[in-house]
Amino acid sequence: SFRRNTKPDKSVTIDQSSSKKTKRREKKIGVFRPSCDAYTPRMANRPIKYKPAQERTSVEKMSTTMGTIQRPNFRDALRRVAIILHQHITKIEQRFETGVRGADDTGLFKASMREVFNEDLFVTPRYRCCMVRVPMARPGVVYSMRKIRTVYNTPTTDEIYDFAHQLFKKVQLSSECSIVCLIYVEKLMEVAKVPLMPDTWRPVFMCGLLLASKVWQDLSSWNIEFASVYPQFSLEAINRLELQFLKLIKWDLYISSSLYAKYYFALRSLLEKSGFRNRYNQ
C-alpha cells in the first residue's frame, strides 16, 4: 500500500549570493583630511539675514586671542598647532595598534615611512660608561660602554608646545611660522603617507619649522642655529632630515594665500569645538 507523506519538507536552501558576500572582505580605503578642512566652521543651509550696523556684533566681542591673520599671536597659534599634532599622534597610534602586524589597514599611512623619520636615525647616540677597577700596576684605563635606548611615549600637548617654544624664543621665528609648519607637516602626511608617531614627531616638527622659516621669513634661520637649540640633532643630521623632507613632498613648498587663510580660520575656530577650552587651559 502507498502512504502519503504528510511531514513537512525539511530541506534547507543555501543562498549562495549571501555566502559569497560574507566571504568577501571589504577593504577600507582611508582618505587623509587636513585640519583646515576638518576644523573649518560650516554654514550648512542656514539662511544669512541682513542686519543693520546697529544690530551687528561689536568688533570687541568678535576679537580673538589668536590675533589677526596678518600678525597672529605666536603663543596662542602655537598652542593650537600643538593640540592638532597631539590629536594626529594619538589617532595614528590607534590605527597602527588595531591594524595587522602594526600596519595601517586603510592604507592611509605606510609603516615603512615610520622608519624613514625615526628619531633614532637623526639623534646623536648616548652611551653609559662604566669604569672597571684594575690593579695600579697595570697601565691604562678599562671601561665598558653601553648604548642608552630611548623609550618614546605619546607626548602631551605641553611637551609639543615647549619643544617648539624654545625655538621661537632663541631663533626669533615669526608668528606665522607655526601655521606654515602645520601646512608642511600635513602635506608630508598626505603626499608621502608619513605617520606622525611618538618616535617621529620631533624630527618632522623641527624640519617643518625649519622650512617654514626659510620660505616665510625674509631673514631665515640657518641649520646651525637649529642645531644649537636642539643639541641632540647634529648639523649633518638636520641636513639629511631636510633633504629627506623635501624629496617626499616633491619640493612643493608653495602656499597660496587662500590655503593659509583656511588654516588660520580653522585654528581660530577651534574654540567652537566642544571640550577645546578644557584642554587648552590644562
Side-chain angles (χ1 to χ4, degrees):
S1 63
F2 178 77
R3 295 182 179 179
R4 188 176 180 180
N5 187 9
T6 58
K7 295 183 179 179
D9 188 8
K10 294 183 178 180
S11 60
V12 180
T13 58
I14 300 175
D15 189 3
Q16 296 181 358
S17 60
S18 61
S19 61
K20 290 181 180 180
K21 289 181 181 180
T22 55
K23 291 181 180 179
R24 292 179 182 175
R25 293 183 179 178
E26 296 181 358
K27 186 177 181 180
K28 297 180 181 179
I29 300 176
V31 179
F32 182 80
R33 191 182 182 190
S35 58
C36 66
D37 185 28
Y39 297 100
T40 301
R42 308 295 179 186
M43 295 302 297
N45 295 325
R46 291 178 295 177
I48 301 177
K49 297 180 180 181
Y50 172 78
K51 290 183 179 181
Q54 295 80 8
E55 299 180 3
R56 298 175 189 172
T57 308
S58 61
V59 180
E60 289 77 8
K61 293 183 180 180
M62 295 174 59
S63 61
T64 176
T65 56
M66 192 174 171
T68 62
I69 189 172
Q70 296 179 347
R71 187 173 294 277
N73 184 358
F74 89 92
R75 288 187 178 87
D76 195 81
L78 184 60
R79 175 73 65 177
R80 299 168 192 246
V81 170
I83 290 178
I84 291 181
L85 294 181
H86 174 71
Q87 292 179 354
H88 279 314
I89 295 172
T90 53
K91 291 180 180 179
I92 295 173
E93 194 173 12
Q94 292 175 0
R95 282 178 174 269
F96 279 88
E97 287 179 355
T98 57
V100 180
R101 295 181 181 178
D104 184 14
D105 290 340
T106 60
L108 190 59
F109 301 102
K110 294 181 179 178
S112 59
M113 287 292 111
R114 181 179 180 180
E115 300 299 329
V116 172
F117 286 94
N118 196 323
E119 189 172 344
D120 292 333
L121 300 178
F122 304 97
V123 173
T124 304
R126 297 181 302 165
Y127 297 91
R128 180 180 288 108
C129 182
C130 299
M131 306 298 294
V132 179
R133 294 184 179 181
V134 294
M136 296 296 296
R138 187 173 180 178
V141 179
V142 179
Y143 62 93
S144 63
M145 295 179 61
R146 182 177 299 177
K147 186 177 180 179
I148 302 176
R149 294 183 179 181
T150 307
V151 179
Y152 299 101
N153 299 320
T154 304
T156 61
T157 305
D158 292 335
E159 290 177 358
I160 300 175
Y161 174 81
D162 294 338
F163 178 79
H165 185 260
Q166 58 178 332
L167 184 67
F168 273 82
K169 290 178 60 179
K170 295 182 180 180
V171 186
Q172 300 296 325
L173 296 180
S174 61
S175 55
E176 300 91 349
C177 286
S178 59
I179 304 177
V180 178
C181 172
L182 179 62
I183 297 175
Y184 288 153
V185 169
E186 291 192 344
K187 181 179 292 187
L188 180 70
M189 297 169 62
E190 183 178 6
V191 175
K193 298 184 178 181
V194 176
L196 211 61
M197 302 288 290
D199 54 351
T200 61
W201 72 270
R202 285 188 183 89
V204 172
F205 192 24
M206 182 189 65
C207 191
L209 290 172
L210 177 62
L211 295 177
S213 171
K214 292 184 177 181
V215 173
W216 199 260
Q217 295 187 149
D218 295 332
L219 298 175
S220 61
S221 304
W222 295 78
N223 293 17
I224 190 64
E225 296 177 345
F226 278 68
S228 62
V229 177
Y230 304 116
Q232 65 270 29
F233 296 97
S234 63
L235 178 60
E236 187 269 338
I238 295 178
N239 294 337
R240 288 190 293 109
L241 180 61
E242 182 184 12
L243 181 61
Q244 188 69 29
F245 196 106
L246 290 171
K247 286 182 178 179
L248 290 177
I249 63 174
K250 301 177 181 179
W251 303 86
D252 184 13
L253 297 175
Y254 173 73
I255 298 176
S256 61
S257 58
S258 60
L259 180 62
Y260 176 83
K262 285 179 65 177
Y263 269 87
Y264 168 80
F265 286 108
L267 291 173
R268 181 173 174 174
S269 65
L270 278 175
L271 290 170
E272 302 175 4
K273 297 293 180 180
S274 60
F276 172 79
R277 175 57 62 183
N278 296 330
R279 296 194 300 270
Y280 184 83
N281 292 331
Q282 288 179 356

